[in-house]
Amino acid sequence: MPVHGARPVPHRAGADPSEPPPMVLDPPGVSWAAAFLATVSFDDLWSRAGAEARGGGRDEAQAREEFRDHHRGLRRFYGRAAAAGHAVVKVVWA
C-alpha cells in the first residue's frame, strides 16, 4: 500500500539494486503519519503483527517493550517533524 504523500527517489548510478530506494514523505504526508501514530494503539498494532515482528526465539515481553519504545519514538519524531512542516526521508528494509 502506498504511503500518503510518499514518493520513491530513484537509485543513484551504481547503487546496489537490492538495496531499497529512499522515499521522501512530503510535509502533508508527515502530518498524516503523525496523526495516524498519535491515534493508533500500540496494543492493536502488536496484536496484529507482534508475533511476526519479534521473530522466532525472542522473548515476547522484551520484544514488546523494545517495539513499544520504537513506537513512542516514532510518535515524537513525526509529531515534531509535522509541527515544523518538515518532509522526511525514509528507507525501509524488509
Side-chain angles (χ1 to χ4, degrees), residues 1-11 19-26 30 77-78 87-93:
M1 174 193 327
V3 176
H4 176 80
R7 62 183 162 76
V9 176
H11 276 304
E19 292 291 323
M23 295 182 70
V24 175
L25 193 58
D26 62 19
V30 172
F77 173 80
Y78 277 96
V88 169
V89 176
K90 67 181 197 164
V91 177
V92 177
W93 282 270

Side-chain angles (χ1 to χ4, degrees), residues 12-39:
R12 69 187 188 303
D16 181 349
S18 68
E19 292 291 323
M23 295 182 70
V24 175
L25 193 58
D26 62 19
V30 172
S31 292
W32 180 90
F36 171 79
L37 288 167
T39 60

Side-chain angles (χ1 to χ4, degrees), residues 11-81:
H11 276 304
R12 69 187 188 303
D16 181 349
S18 68
E19 292 291 323
M23 295 182 70
V24 175
L25 193 58
D26 62 19
V30 172
S31 292
W32 180 90
F36 171 79
L37 288 167
T39 60
V40 70
S41 159
F42 173 80
D43 293 328
D44 287 345
L45 292 174
W46 186 259
S47 70
R48 292 176 189 223
E52 185 178 333
R54 72 182 173 101
R58 288 186 67 193
D59 176 69
E60 181 174 358
Q62 180 182 1
R64 183 183 181 99
E65 285 311 304
E66 285 178 27
F67 279 96
R68 185 182 301 278
D69 287 344
H70 292 310
H71 183 71
R72 285 183 192 123
L74 284 171
R75 277 183 167 182
R76 286 189 303 267
F77 173 80
Y78 277 96
R80 286 190 315 263

